Amino acid sequence: SAKDSLTCSYTILPKTIALVWTGNEERVYNGQPSDVIAAVNQESLVGEDTCEVTVENGIAVDAGTYTAKAVKLSNSNYALPEAEEEQTCSYTIAPKTVDLVWSGNKDRVYNGQPSNVTAAVAAESLIGDDLCEVTVESGNAVNAGNYTAKAAELSNTNYALPKAEENRSCAYVITPKTLEVTWEQTEKIYDGQPVNAKAVLTNLETGDECSAEVQTEAGVNVGTYTASITGLVGAAAGNYQLGEAASVSCQILPREAVLSWNGTSKEYDGQPLTAKAEISNLVEGDLCEVTVENPEEILPGIYTARAAELTGRSAGNYVLPEGREVSCTIGKRQAVLTWSGLEKTYDGAPAEVK
């Protein structure tokens, strides 16, 4: 109709703007909210127009990667870009690197118990009332040795361990325990065999297997010898070390001779006694003789013979007993009579029997 031809519908579309983001630089966690904001690029505005941008998710606090998004404009003459990537801005809060404080890492002596090397976050590294526990690996060694404990994880993701290996690890040492040794069988009477000294380790930790290997100077004769621990054996041997008691002086003492006497009595014959003594407890193969001091008397009576000295190649291994004297007897000799004048012819005179 004529009326319809007098009107016309028309549309003014909002102008699509470009955004300028600020506060989106990567930063380290500090416990404060981010302030990621967007503004309309001045080149997108017409004349003296103003236009504010409302942003969501631009105030993250914790460490992580986030996406802030422009969701609204204050001026309806303008419109946000249609493409999602042009409406958003990624930003990152990096974890704060902490300093560690170690404990339980002082050198200690092996005691059969696990170590307790732990790490804590230095108080000055934490923000406000934050808490952060440290998980440590290899901090519970038991045996003697050199170890390195390592901080492996933090309980609070707003914090990060130091990047340098030396700043997140801690060396510690367990030194071997010094053994206390009691020596047995260090003295014996000569028997032709060497000393068999034994070392008893008296301060082992409960359940540990460790014993001493002992070597004694070669020798079977009377004298002084040294026995020494040449090594430790057993599953726990590496946890121990030898101290001043690693060697001991041993002795083989002389064997007291048991004397067997003969020739200690005789009938008077005008000669002195010649008593003899032998050793009845000689070790097989030994040669040892007894020198006897006999009395010089030749008349009947009771006298004393004395074992005075030992001789022979084995003499040094024997000693005479305190009772080294023996009683000896020279008995009276029974007279054998020869008679004469037992028979005569009567002649009126008395017999003369002799």
Side-chain angles (χ1 to χ4, degrees), residues 2-26:
K3 182 178 179 179
D4 291 337
S5 64
L6 296 176
T7 63
C8 177
S9 175
Y10 65 97
T11 301
I12 303 175
L13 298 174
K15 181 181 180 181
T16 300
I17 51 89
L19 297 173
V20 178
W21 292 90
T22 59
N24 59 324
E25 302 84 1
E26 183 172 317

Side-chain angles (χ1 to χ4, degrees), residues 119 133-137 150-155 161:
E133 302 295 328
V134 184
T135 299
V136 172
E137 295 177 347
K150 183 178 179 180
E153 187 179 6
L154 297 176
S155 64
L161 291 166

